[in-house]
Amino acid sequence: MYAPERQQEILRLARAGGRVDVLSLAEEFQVTAETIRRDLKALDRSGLVRRVHGGAIPTGRLDFEPDLSEREATAADEKDRIARAALAELPEDGSVVLDAGSTVGRLAAAFPLERSLTVVTHALPLAVRLADHPGIDLHLVGGRVRHRTRAAVDAWALRAYGEVRADVVFLGANGFSTAHGLTTPDLAEAAVKRALLTAARRVVLLADSTKHGAEHFARFGDLADVDLLITDTGLSPEDAAGIAAGGTEVVRA
């Protein structure tokens, strides 16, 4: 099979399934992973797919949203490094808000047992992780729970966050860039994330570098709304400098 034919078939699979991954494509077409990466790069340059960690998603699918288990497995090492770096942002005996998301979830799992904090979250998996922490005064925000993210949304959640003013909010996003700001596929999730931007005195965005440049359906803020971005070294120094020029501190863990 010639490269253009293979690329057309890859595009068809991406559009049918919402996503393709390098290793599965290499096995299916009996070529090397590097050959598939070149195919995806060519499709990306043509604007037909957007490359993500380990594969690609078709452009035009701004509403595509992987489920929680898939997000947990994506860029796992990078997310662990980001979470460890974020521990330095925890206040002493203060209050934090935790957004839904796999990277923020890793931070919650890494909370030191000796730390005393007031924690507010609308994410059920994070609440479960912290429920038995001896030093955590846990507040669970209610609302309609989205199956895909296990997070509460809609009026109850928005009303609760309107009454909160914490020291730090640890925020997640599906996409971030200076051009498109902070985005996520779902409007209800975006509304809650927008409320989080004003629910704390300091906003810390935890996002791995595969999300840089990604644009999704629902926009909930600007990078300028973020005090600190903690990402991984996959974000180039040049891109980090461009974000910092807009007033957001950047840590590449």
Side-chain angles (χ1 to χ4, degrees), residues 1-11 39 42-43 48:
M1 182 182 288
Y2 293 111
E5 296 174 301
R6 187 174 57 248
Q7 289 164 16
Q8 283 298 315
E9 182 62 12
I10 289 172
L11 179 60
D39 288 335
L43 291 168
L48 297 171

Side-chain angles (χ1 to χ4, degrees), residues 65-89:
E65 185 177 16
D67 63 25
L68 194 59
S69 60
E70 183 177 350
R71 285 186 287 128
E72 286 281 359
T74 301
D77 291 342
E78 291 84 351
K79 289 175 179 178
D80 284 338
R81 296 201 304 272
I82 292 168
R84 287 194 296 269
L87 290 172
E89 298 302 314

